[in-house]
Amino acid sequence: MRKTIGVVATVAALAVAVGGCGSTQDTAGGGGGGGDGKIGATVPLLTSPFWQAYNNYVPQMAKAEGLDVLPTVNADNNTQKQITDINNLLNQGVKGLVLTPLDSAAIVAGLNQAERKGVPVVSVDVRPESGKVAMVVRADNRAYGSKACEVIGEKVQQGKVIQIMGDLASINGRDRSEAFRDCMKSKYPGITVLEIPAEWKAEKAASGLESLLTANPDVRGIYMQAGGVYLAPTLQALERKGLKFPVDDPKHIVTVSNDGIPQELEAIRNGELDATVSQPADSYAKYGMYWLKKAMAGETFKEGPTDHDSTVVEASPGILEDQLPAPVVTAENVDDDALWGNTL
């Protein structure tokens, strides 16, 4: 999670290519209003720079699509609050919703509320386990875990590495954790993976890491599933333990994270962080609004390539997912202007 702050972005009007991911008119209509009317948006939390950035992108990208969005609602990392927030937005008469589930199963209650009112929903960053959504806008989270594994594995080869996991109630936390674990087992059998279930919470990451580093001072790598909440406590814990060394030092503990926030990019430049996988906070907001506008106009969608360098897949039965690219960032490409973290 983590899947984040003013921003400059260029937004062009987009159309789905015929024969690509495609769209067809749904005569039954969804949401009504022909794409007009106020929409609601929720964010899972605002304690992470990633979600702070996404939160700031939302009104800009909504405006670019001609959508009138109400002020975003912060679930404050509370699943029940998120369901209540969705109900409150529906009672305000919104014609569409863009949301990010905290719990992939629990969010179904909110999706059912929206379906009963005929309000289309686009889910951003997290895929619900079931329920009706017009589209999920998300990067391949299993790829996050695999890419982090490969960066660490190639440098470490054998020894102990720590995986600071996200919330396993979220499919993102499960995907990243399983992919990292599977990759290590198949490609780097000489590496032992130690795990911290941190639930996207900095304090859990800090306490868990403190304990593991005390018991395992010979750790050689750390994977942080959300740099926005785990980077600072990780660097602080390494410093307290006398284990913080620059990337070019033989005693350096290889560190890789997910998010692509400016703080991670600066840590890469400073030689504190080896790499991050850049989650597209700007594109999450942009294509969340893009798909919602089409869904509100009664369009439906199908699998296939899009015209914005991604592919729509049926990620689970009846649920389509626009899988956006998420590049690995290292010292070699950290100054690339195409990275959203460099546009803030």
Side-chain angles (χ1 to χ4, degrees):
M1 274 189 56
R2 294 96 214 21
K3 303 120 120 233
T4 236
I5 341 196
V7 44
V8 177
T10 301
V11 181
L14 298 171
V16 182
V18 175
C21 70
S23 66
T24 59
Q25 293 297 326
D26 179 0
T27 55
D36 298 326
K38 290 188 180 296
I39 67 167
T42 72
V43 292
L45 50 92
L46 283 174
T47 53
S48 161
F50 178 86
W51 289 111
Q52 291 164 11
Y54 171 81
N55 187 55
N56 286 331
Y57 280 117
V58 165
Q60 299 177 46
M61 300 307 185
K63 183 178 180 181
E65 286 292 346
L67 296 173
D68 185 6
V69 63
L70 296 172
T72 53
V73 181
N74 176 19
D76 200 23
N77 215 19
N78 184 312
T79 298
Q80 187 53 54
K81 182 179 183 303
Q82 185 170 56
I83 302 302
T84 300
D85 291 340
I86 291 169
N87 189 54
N88 290 340
L89 288 168
L90 291 170
N91 287 338
Q92 291 178 60
V94 296
K95 300 300 183 184
L97 283 172
V98 176
L99 53 83
T100 297
L102 281 163
D103 185 310
S104 297
I107 197 64
V108 176
L111 297 178
N112 290 342
Q113 291 173 11
E115 184 178 9
R116 284 194 292 270
K117 289 183 177 289
V119 174
V121 177
V122 170
S123 183
V124 170
D125 183 54
V126 179
R127 184 175 73 244
E129 290 190 1
S130 60
K132 184 176 180 180
V133 288
M135 184 67 69
V136 178
V137 177
R138 182 175 181 252
D140 183 349
N141 276 246
R142 288 194 63 85
Y144 291 178
S146 298
K147 290 174 181 179
C149 160
E150 289 167 0
V151 172
I152 293 174
E154 287 303 310
K155 294 187 176 185
V156 171
Q157 294 294 322
Q158 60 181 2
K160 301 173 185 175
V161 304
I162 294 172
Q163 174 175 211
I164 307 177
M165 300 184 292
D167 192 339
L168 299 182
S170 161
I171 194 167
N172 286 10
R174 295 198 298 271
D175 276 358
R176 298 177 200 187
S177 300
E178 291 168 2
F180 185 80
R181 216 178 281 136
D182 292 347
C183 169
M184 283 295 181
K185 184 177 181 180
S186 63
K187 292 187 176 182
Y188 309 101
I191 291 178
T192 299
V193 178
L194 309 175
E195 297 183 333
I196 301 170
E199 300 177 2
W200 313 124
K201 296 176 181 177
E203 64 275 13
K204 286 185 176 289
S207 62
L209 188 56
E210 191 82 23
S211 297
L212 279 183
L213 290 176
T214 298
N216 303 274
D218 55 342
V219 161
R220 301 192 59 199
I222 299 174
Y223 168 41
M224 299 165 274
Q225 288 188 9
V229 287
Y230 299 158
L231 177 64
T234 295
L235 295 180
Q236 290 163 5
L238 290 174
E239 189 156 20
R240 282 195 302 272
K241 293 293 185 182
L243 297 172
K244 185 181 177 185
F245 300 97
V247 169
D248 57 0
D249 190 303
K251 297 188 290 294
H252 170 71
I253 293 175
V254 179
T255 50
V256 178
S257 58
N258 296 154
D259 272 349
I261 60 174
Q263 292 89 332
E264 288 172 296
L265 304 188
E266 192 61 23
I268 291 173
R269 294 185 185 99
N270 293 338
E272 299 175 305
L273 181 68
D274 292 77
T276 185
V277 181
S278 180
Q279 290 199 88
D282 54 347
S283 293
Y284 277 0
K286 178 177 180 176
Y287 294 110
M289 297 302 166
Y290 166 79
W291 290 112
L292 183 62
K293 183 174 183 179
K294 289 181 172 294
M296 288 169 63
E299 296 185 36
T300 56
F301 317 107
K302 61 184 180 181
E303 294 179 278
T306 71
D307 60 357
H308 48 267
D309 194 27
S310 66
T311 303
V312 172
V313 301
E314 187 174 26
S316 60
I319 297 182
L320 294 177
E321 183 171 297
D322 184 4
Q323 294 192 330
L324 303 177
V328 175
V329 184
T330 66
E332 293 181 358
N333 65 336
V334 69
D335 293 321
D336 189 341
D337 290 339
L339 297 171
W340 70 267
N342 284 329
T343 70
L344 302 182

